[in-house]
Amino acid sequence: LEKNEIDAFREEFLHMHTYDQAQFFEELDEPSRFALYEMLSPEEMADIFENVEIREEDYQEILSEMHPNFAADMLSEMSADDAVDVLNELDKEQVASYLTIMDEEAADEIKELLHYEEYTAGSIMTTEFVAIRENQTVHSAMHILRREAPEAETIYYVFVIDEQKHLAGVISLRDLIIADEDTMISEVMNERVVSVSVAEDQEEVARIMRDYNFLALPVVDFQQHLLGIITVDDVMDVLDEEASDDYSKLAGISDVDDTIDHNPLVAAKKRLPWLIILLFLGMMTASLIGRFEDTLNQVAILAVFIPLIGGMAGNTGTQALAVAVRGLATGEIEEESKIKLLIREAATGMITGASCGLLVVLIVYIWQGDLILGALVGVSVFSTLIVATLAGAFIPLLMHRFKIDPAVASGPFITTINDLISILIYFGLATTFMSYLK
Amino acid sequence: LEKNEIDAFREEFLHMHTYDQAQFFEELDEPSRFALYEMLSPEEMADIFENVEIREEDYQEILSEMHPNFAADMLSEMSADDAVDVLNELDKEQVASYLTIMDEEAADEIKELLHYEEYTAGSIMTTEFVAIRENQTVHSAMHILRREAPEAETIYYVFVIDEQKHLAGVISLRDLIIADEDTMISEVMNERVVSVSVAEDQEEVARIMRDYNFLALPVVDFQQHLLGIITVDDVMDVLDEEASDDYSKLAGISDVDDTIDHNPLVAAKKRLPWLIILLFLGMMTASLIGRFEDTLNQVAILAVFIPLIGGMAGNTGTQALAVAVRGLATGEIEEESKIKLLIREAATGMITGASCGLLVVLIVYIWQGDLILGALVGVSVFSTLIVATLAGAFIPLLMHRFKIDPAVASGPFITTINDLISILIYFGLATTFMSYLK
């Protein structure tokens, strides 16, 4: 490209919002990316990279394309928390080599953040925040704010620390600009500041920020020393991931957010695990029905209602599962309310079971003119719905007790377990009362 | 209560964060709520009410408990957008009566917002924002900001308008406080401001704010007049609702966020609609199997594999459905990429179908020692998985084309449709090749 073309491109490109720049970058092929690295400074590239959303495995490739010094400079210029997100996707050696050639101050910040475990408050916090002392005046606080504004992740909430760097309070920029310049910070700050521990789960952090409508939340260690802050934009991503995760699991797929550009092999790989587990569970159901072959041979019409009963069991189980998983995720269901939930679900199962059961008796009687068969199917639906609803609620609660993510008990798993239960009830009843069936 | 007890309670209560106050309020019974109304001013109650999250049908009751003047004063003191959310849950006459006795200025703001349709940008925006002129200096802008700070929803993004009140730019408080006091706003503002139309869907608004990490977004009419702003806290609620909505639909339940305190009748009411639809669809499946009664009477062993084939069809359909619904929700699947998605899904179905089909042939052959039966079940699984995967992707795309929310095609619906399809394929094949089965 000619010099003036580069200038024209830079002029146009750098006027775009960084999110749009990132979208543009994601669409580029390798040669175009190389051209872009030539045209932009590491600092400009850092702004883009903070907004890029690519597959985790692609970060390694993209960074290797850049000159190591360019990559290291870019990482230094990025927000420390975003740089850490990128570095977490690379090999250990690669991380070490970037940290060596990187700007020392930035490297130190990043090393500190790399310590924290994934999915904790520490892993999503940033150390680029503004802290002021409680014995400063508003005037001097504003002076610090103006100085730190270009670097800090947010200046709209300013956290106040005491001599020992303990978190002592918070003041919003809104309150700062309307306060008298000579007032002491300790007089205008809010001492009742909500903070989270550095080891807190990131989903809990997200929930607090959403419920309290915070724009920033301070992170402290066990001695209440201020370590960093979490801003609302990081938390939106967490809420999104969490929701998409629960959704994927309910559908029985490892990750529902696959792009249409992915080839079918990738898509199949995400879906096959559940399909194969399901296949084996289905074989168990099949062998269970096989045990009732005598019953089936004598009353073949019984087979007709297998999908109906299984389907209803599966669905009511999924409904109960979804309610339990959401309740556990939002923290509404706690240890002491688990029994209460199970009683509620049993009662719910009885109501839906009685309604659907009666309807089935009626339909089968009208359709087949056989009240005994109707009663058999109806009673099976009734009992199945109670047991299946309870199972749908009980299994996630059990997993939660054993510290397993309850969302792992996905829809297809519950569905198939309930298929088995429903067959057992249906054929058990049918075999017992076979002499009454024609 | 004694005078000094009231003071002690007020002291303690008003020191709590408004979210905690709201949580406390939600736990109260009717007499305690009456006591609280006595002790608090309408203004203090307004802060609480902005954070209260109760069932939509309960707002009517709670407001009727208050003295009409108290309720009207409280509504005047609330953020206009939050007040509108409450008023939207009341009877028309009740709304009119509150608006009559309310503070006139607040009533006018609310009337304006009540015009906008639910689920649009207009319905979630607030009119309490700070707008400045482009021909002002930074100094005078800061003066306005200080004056408006106590009332405005946010002062961290300030929107700039021209003489005709057209949106002309945006400047953050961060940039304002570091700018020289005598600079003109037009020199420091960002002219490339992203805005949304007042009629824009609220989910699209939420997506823009999440992707661009905005704290506030201006809302304009079709002539680019600035009408209001949307802040990040309103948008977090939208994202949450949206995710919970999709999740509920996938589980086949009208609303998954029911609290454990709800009685079983309420829970059953939310779940029965799908269970009854499913019951009728299940009856269709049953009558379909009934048509193959001859086949079944001769080869009863066929019944054994009904749940296996139906279960796999249902699950693969739900997987494809979930991917399509998310793709449509995030805007990744557009009109032109629909065909691409269907081709991808067909190929995915072939891969998963071939893998599972071969596995089934093997298992059935080892278990039953019958290669023909194994081949029949295996081929059925293979064909079923292709058709069911396609159906799972096609149905939401079709709904989207006809402007129906694709998430309505919930999990149980797809599962049951695919049950039907699988039975048709399985028994069709079995009847055709019956002479080869023993």
Side-chain angles (χ1 to χ4, degrees):
Chain A
L1 273 89
E2 299 282 328
K3 174 81 179 69
N4 54 359
E5 278 182 81
I6 293 180
D7 286 344
F9 171 83
R10 278 178 53 87
E11 165 81 11
E12 181 60 29
F13 185 73
L14 293 176
H15 254 97
M16 284 162 63
H17 191 279
T18 46
Y19 173 74
D20 296 320
Q21 293 174 357
Q23 292 276 304
F24 178 86
F25 178 79
E26 287 171 28
E27 298 295 314
L28 293 180
D29 55 10
E30 207 182 309
S32 316
R33 286 199 299 265
F34 274 113
L36 195 69
Y37 305 146
E38 292 295 317
M39 285 189 279
L40 298 179
S41 71
E43 199 174 343
E44 287 155 355
M45 196 62 216
D47 289 338
I48 300 172
F49 226 66
E50 286 176 3
N51 285 282
V52 159
E53 277 172 28
I54 52 179
R55 279 185 304 160
E56 300 185 346
E57 52 270 35
D58 289 342
Y59 281 105
Q60 176 107 23
E61 195 194 319
I62 297 276
L63 259 85
S64 318
E65 291 171 4
M66 302 176 187
H67 188 283
N69 285 331
F70 183 91
D73 285 348
M74 179 189 80
L75 289 165
S76 309
E77 295 289 346
M78 285 171 73
S79 284
D81 55 338
D82 292 326
V84 167
D85 289 343
V86 172
L87 290 173
N88 270 329
E89 308 305 335
L90 308 182
D91 296 338
K92 286 233 165 84
E93 305 84 61
Q94 220 182 341
V95 174
S97 79
Y98 285 132
L99 287 174
T100 326
I101 49 177
M102 204 181 269
D103 170 68
E104 202 175 328
E105 196 185 328
D108 286 345
E109 266 176 35
I110 288 172
K111 273 182 210 153
E112 212 185 303
L113 289 180
L114 277 171
H115 281 151
Y116 301 110
E117 254 184 284
E118 263 198 295
Y119 312 119
T120 62
S123 74
I124 55 169
M125 75 180 185
T126 175
T127 49
E128 288 144 322
F129 60 93
V130 186
I132 53 177
R133 292 291 173 86
E134 46 185 349
N135 53 6
Q136 283 182 305
T137 61
V138 168
H139 178 81
S140 83
M142 284 298 290
H143 181 75
I144 294 177
L145 268 190
R146 286 203 186 86
R147 199 186 61 208
E148 301 286 335
E151 289 298 318
E153 185 100 357
T154 182
I155 58 160
Y156 301 133
Y157 280 84
V158 185
F159 296 99
V160 186
I161 49 177
D162 65 15
E163 300 290 325
Q164 287 82 40
K165 294 199 173 175
H166 296 123
L167 177 64
V170 60
I171 182 160
S172 67
L173 181 54
R174 185 198 287 244
D175 291 332
L176 269 180
I177 66 164
I178 57 178
D180 187 77
E181 291 224 320
D182 300 321
T183 327
M184 296 298 282
I185 291 296
S186 55
E187 287 170 46
V188 281
M189 75 182 187
N190 183 353
E191 286 171 38
R192 301 219 175 188
V193 51
V194 179
S195 63
V196 290
S197 143
V198 72
E200 184 64 86
D201 187 86
Q202 63 175 10
E203 292 184 9
E204 181 58 25
V205 173
R207 230 169 289 144
I208 292 174
M209 292 192 71
R210 182 197 54 200
D211 288 341
Y212 289 87
N213 286 338
F214 289 141
L215 294 180
L217 187 66
V219 181
V220 294
D221 65 13
F222 69 105
Q223 290 178 305
Q224 290 292 111
H225 291 122
L226 182 58
L227 298 178
I229 64 165
I230 295 172
T231 49
V232 68
D233 51 315
D234 299 320
V235 148
M236 281 228 252
D237 298 337
V238 171
L239 284 175
D240 248 27
E241 272 167 37
E242 180 192 357
S244 156
D245 221 41
D246 285 352
Y247 188 81
S248 303
K249 281 171 184 155
L250 191 63
I253 173 169
S254 64
D255 176 15
V256 86
D257 278 333
D258 68 288
T259 67
I260 2 179
D261 294 323
H262 283 171
N263 72 46
L265 268 175
V266 176
K269 213 176 113 194
K270 287 183 178 178
R271 302 184 198 180
L272 267 175
W274 263 116
L275 290 175
I276 288 173
I277 291 174
L278 211 64
L279 202 160
F280 281 96
L281 288 171
M283 283 294 171
M284 279 173 63
T285 314
S287 90
L288 187 68
I289 304 183
R291 303 232 168 166
F292 294 104
E293 209 178 332
D294 279 352
T295 312
L296 255 180
N297 270 325
Q298 289 172 54
V299 199
I301 186 88
L302 284 178
V304 161
F305 297 103
I306 294 178
L308 171 78
I309 295 174
M312 300 211 56
N315 185 233
T316 194
T318 307
Q319 292 177 328
L321 168 85
V323 170
V325 167
R326 284 311 292 168
L328 287 167
T330 58
E332 211 225 328
I333 301 173
E334 287 162 358
E335 218 48 58
E336 57 273 27
S337 50
K338 283 183 177 175
I339 298 293
K340 202 170 154 195
L341 179 78
L342 288 178
I343 294 170
R344 207 275 303 255
E345 289 299 316
T348 307
M350 270 184 238
I351 298 169
T352 55
S355 320
C356 295
L358 283 174
L359 204 56
V360 164
V361 177
L362 199 72
I363 296 174
V364 175
Y365 178 57
I366 293 171
W367 175 29
Q368 297 278 335
D370 186 340
L371 193 59
I372 307 278
L373 182 67
L376 173 72
V377 181
V379 171
S380 300
V381 166
F382 173 68
S383 344
T384 296
L385 284 192
I386 298 174
V387 179
T389 306
L390 264 175
F394 183 69
I395 292 175
L397 294 186
L398 196 73
M399 292 187 146
H400 186 253
R401 165 69 60 92
F402 290 111
K403 311 265 176 221
I404 307 168
D405 177 5
V408 169
S410 74
F413 177 69
I414 291 285
T415 301
T416 315
I417 292 292
N418 280 339
D419 236 14
L420 258 164
I421 294 173
S422 70
I423 296 292
L424 207 60
I425 293 175
Y426 180 46
F427 279 98
L429 286 173
T431 309
T432 312
F433 297 102
M434 194 157 64
S435 50
Y436 301 99
L437 293 166
K438 46 184 168 182
Chain B
L1 273 89
E2 298 282 327
K3 173 83 179 66
N4 55 359
E5 278 182 81
I6 292 181
D7 285 346
F9 171 82
R10 280 178 53 86
E11 165 80 8
E12 181 60 27
F13 186 73
L14 293 175
H15 254 97
M16 285 162 63
H17 191 279
T18 46
Y19 173 74
D20 296 320
Q21 293 174 357
Q23 293 276 304
F24 178 86
F25 178 79
E26 288 170 28
E27 298 297 313
L28 294 180
D29 55 9
E30 207 183 309
S32 315
R33 286 200 298 265
F34 274 112
L36 195 69
Y37 305 147
E38 291 295 317
M39 285 189 279
L40 298 178
S41 71
E43 198 173 345
E44 287 155 356
M45 197 61 217
D47 289 339
I48 300 173
F49 226 65
E50 285 177 4
N51 285 283
V52 158
E53 276 173 27
I54 52 179
R55 279 186 303 161
E56 300 184 347
E57 52 271 35
D58 289 343
Y59 281 105
Q60 177 108 23
E61 195 194 320
I62 298 274
L63 260 85
S64 319
E65 291 171 4
M66 301 177 186
H67 187 283
N69 285 332
F70 184 91
D73 285 349
M74 179 189 81
L75 288 165
S76 309
E77 295 289 346
M78 285 173 72
S79 284
D81 55 340
D82 291 326
V84 167
D85 289 344
V86 173
L87 290 173
N88 269 328
E89 307 305 335
L90 308 182
D91 295 337
K92 287 232 165 85
E93 303 86 60
Q94 220 181 343
V95 174
S97 78
Y98 285 132
L99 287 174
T100 326
I101 49 177
M102 204 182 267
D103 170 70
E104 202 175 331
E105 196 186 327
D108 286 346
E109 265 176 36
I110 288 172
K111 275 182 209 154
E112 211 185 304
L113 289 180
L114 276 171
H115 280 152
Y116 300 110
E117 254 184 286
E118 264 200 293
Y119 312 119
T120 62
S123 75
I124 54 169
M125 76 180 185
T126 174
T127 49
E128 289 145 319
F129 60 94
V130 185
I132 53 177
R133 291 291 173 86
E134 47 185 348
N135 54 5
Q136 283 181 300
T137 61
V138 168
H139 179 82
S140 82
M142 283 298 290
H143 181 75
I144 294 178
L145 267 190
R146 286 201 187 87
R147 200 187 59 207
E148 302 285 337
E151 289 298 318
E153 184 99 357
T154 182
I155 58 161
Y156 301 134
Y157 280 84
V158 184
F159 297 99
V160 185
I161 48 177
D162 65 16
E163 300 291 325
Q164 288 81 41
K165 296 196 172 177
H166 296 124
L167 178 64
V170 60
I171 182 160
S172 67
L173 180 54
R174 185 197 288 244
D175 291 334
L176 269 181
I177 65 164
I178 56 178
D180 188 75
E181 293 225 317
D182 299 322
T183 325
M184 295 299 281
I185 291 295
S186 55
E187 286 170 46
V188 281
M189 74 181 188
N190 183 353
E191 287 170 39
R192 302 220 176 188
V193 52
V194 178
S195 63
V196 290
S197 143
V198 73
E200 185 64 86
D201 187 85
Q202 63 174 11
E203 293 184 9
E204 181 59 25
V205 173
R207 232 169 287 144
I208 292 173
M209 291 191 73
R210 182 197 55 201
D211 288 341
Y212 288 86
N213 286 339
F214 289 140
L215 294 181
L217 187 66
V219 181
V220 294
D221 66 12
F222 69 105
Q223 290 177 306
Q224 289 293 110
H225 292 121
L226 182 58
L227 298 178
I229 63 164
I230 295 171
T231 49
V232 68
D233 52 314
D234 299 320
V235 147
M236 280 227 251
D237 297 337
V238 171
L239 285 175
D240 247 28
E241 271 168 37
E242 181 191 357
S244 158
D245 220 42
D246 284 353
Y247 187 80
S248 302
K249 281 171 184 155
L250 191 64
I253 174 168
S254 64
D255 176 15
V256 87
D257 277 334
D258 68 303
T259 67
I260 2 177
D261 294 323
H262 283 170
N263 72 48
L265 268 174
V266 176
K269 212 177 115 193
K270 287 181 177 180
R271 301 185 198 178
L272 267 174
W274 264 116
L275 289 175
I276 287 173
I277 292 175
L278 210 64
L279 202 159
F280 281 97
L281 288 171
M283 283 293 170
M284 281 173 62
T285 315
S287 89
L288 187 67
I289 304 183
R291 303 231 168 167
F292 294 105
E293 208 178 333
D294 279 352
T295 312
L296 256 180
N297 270 324
Q298 289 173 55
V299 199
I301 186 89
L302 284 177
V304 161
F305 297 103
I306 293 178
L308 172 79
I309 295 175
M312 301 212 55
N315 186 233
T316 195
T318 307
Q319 292 177 328
L321 169 84
V323 169
V325 167
R326 284 311 291 169
L328 288 167
T330 59
E332 211 224 328
I333 301 173
E334 287 162 358
E335 218 48 57
E336 57 273 26
S337 50
K338 282 183 176 176
I339 297 293
K340 202 171 155 196
L341 178 79
L342 288 178
I343 295 170
R344 207 275 301 256
E345 290 299 316
T348 307
M350 270 185 238
I351 297 168
T352 54
S355 320
C356 294
L358 282 174
L359 205 56
V360 164
V361 177
L362 200 72
I363 296 174
V364 176
Y365 179 57
I366 293 170
W367 175 29
Q368 298 278 335
D370 186 340
L371 194 58
I372 307 278
L373 183 66
L376 172 71
V377 182
V379 171
S380 299
V381 166
F382 173 67
S383 343
T384 296
L385 283 193
I386 298 174
V387 179
T389 307
L390 264 174
F394 183 69
I395 291 175
L397 293 187
L398 195 72
M399 291 187 147
H400 186 252
R401 163 69 58 93
F402 290 110
K403 310 268 177 221
I404 307 168
D405 176 5
V408 169
S410 74
F413 178 70
I414 291 285
T415 301
T416 314
I417 292 291
N418 280 339
D419 236 14
L420 258 165
I421 295 174
S422 70
I423 296 290
L424 207 61
I425 293 175
Y426 179 45
F427 278 98
L429 285 172
T431 309
T432 313
F433 297 103
M434 195 158 61
S435 51
Y436 302 98
L437 293 165
K438 46 183 167 181

